[in-house]
């Protein structure tokens, strides 16, 4: 069944109104700023949107791409996803840096423990050596003259 001129104009107005709403950020619950939601909001099938109103679908996609290129994000979910991706990337890099720093600190800790163990061994050896000396074997220290 062919559409009358009036019906075509009415459907085109509904599609354009839906395009404007979606690009303004008025995304319905369970929808997105996409062709599927556009068709649903305009009250037509996706097949009709592709077949009959393809020029409006293309216009929608161009306007959406322009909005994204200009830094606008009509779909708050997409904006949140982009923000979370950026945050995830920053945190991943920070975790990698922290992991590297942690490993370096572990190595320094091991080195410090080795040095302390060596110093403790030397101290114990010196104490044993000192204890083997008898007080008699030490020469008396002369008194200080003033």
């Amino acid at each position: 069944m062919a559409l009358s001129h009036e019906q075509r104009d009415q459907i085109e107005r509904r599609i354009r109104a839906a395009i404007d709403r979606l690009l303004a950020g008025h995304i319905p619950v369970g929808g997105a700023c996409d062709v599927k939601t556009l068709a649903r909001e305009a009250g037509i099938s996706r097949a009709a949107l592709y077949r009959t109103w393809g020029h409006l679908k293309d216009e929608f996609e161009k306007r959406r791409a322009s909005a994204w290129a200009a830094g606008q994000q009509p779909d708050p979910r997409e904006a949140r996803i982009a923000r979370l991706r950026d945050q995830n990337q920053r945190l991943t890099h920070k975790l990698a840096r922290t992991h590297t720093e942690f490993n370096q600190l572990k190595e320094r800790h091991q080195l410090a423990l080795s040095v302390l163990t060596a110093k403790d061994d030397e101290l114990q050896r010196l104490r044993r050596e000192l204890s083997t000396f008898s007080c008699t074997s030490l020469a008396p220290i002369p008194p200080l003259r003033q």
Side-chain angles (χ1 to χ4, degrees):
M1 178 171 105
L3 296 173
S4 69
H5 184 65
E6 184 178 312
Q7 289 172 320
R8 288 182 67 79
D9 286 345
Q10 182 185 23
I11 293 171
E12 187 169 336
R13 282 194 302 274
R14 286 197 329 244
I15 295 170
R16 288 188 184 282
I19 289 171
D20 292 339
R21 283 194 308 274
L22 291 175
L23 293 177
H26 303 290
I27 311 297
V29 175
C33 191
D34 60 6
V35 174
K36 179 180 176 181
T37 305
L38 174 62
R40 191 174 67 224
E41 285 293 295
I44 62 172
S45 69
R46 261 192 297 168
L49 184 61
Y50 278 90
R51 255 191 338 260
T52 310
W53 310 101
H55 65 287
L56 293 177
K57 178 195 72 74
D58 294 341
E59 177 185 327
F60 168 70
E61 290 174 337
K62 286 178 188 171
R63 287 178 58 190
R64 182 181 61 184
S66 295
W68 286 346
Q72 301 168 349
Q73 191 58 268
D75 190 345
R77 293 178 326 157
E78 291 293 327
R80 185 169 184 220
I81 288 169
R83 190 173 56 254
L84 289 173
R85 276 190 184 127
D86 289 344
Q87 183 180 18
N88 185 31
Q89 188 177 27
R90 283 193 317 272
L91 290 173
T92 301
H93 289 307
K94 184 176 181 179
L95 179 62
R97 284 192 314 268
T98 302
H99 184 68
T100 301
E101 183 179 325
F102 176 72
N103 285 335
Q104 291 171 346
L105 288 172
K106 274 184 11 181
E107 289 173 8
R108 289 176 62 194
H109 179 257
Q110 287 293 65
L111 179 63
L113 284 177
S114 296
V115 168
L116 283 174
T117 302
K119 293 293 182 184
D120 186 56
D121 288 346
E122 182 180 0
L123 182 62
Q124 294 300 324
R125 182 187 59 77
L126 290 172
R127 282 183 180 158
R128 279 191 308 273
E129 196 174 297
L130 183 62
S131 69
T132 60
F133 288 117
S134 66
C135 291
T136 58
S137 65
L138 294 176
I141 301 173
L144 294 175
R145 295 188 186 179
Q146 295 182 348

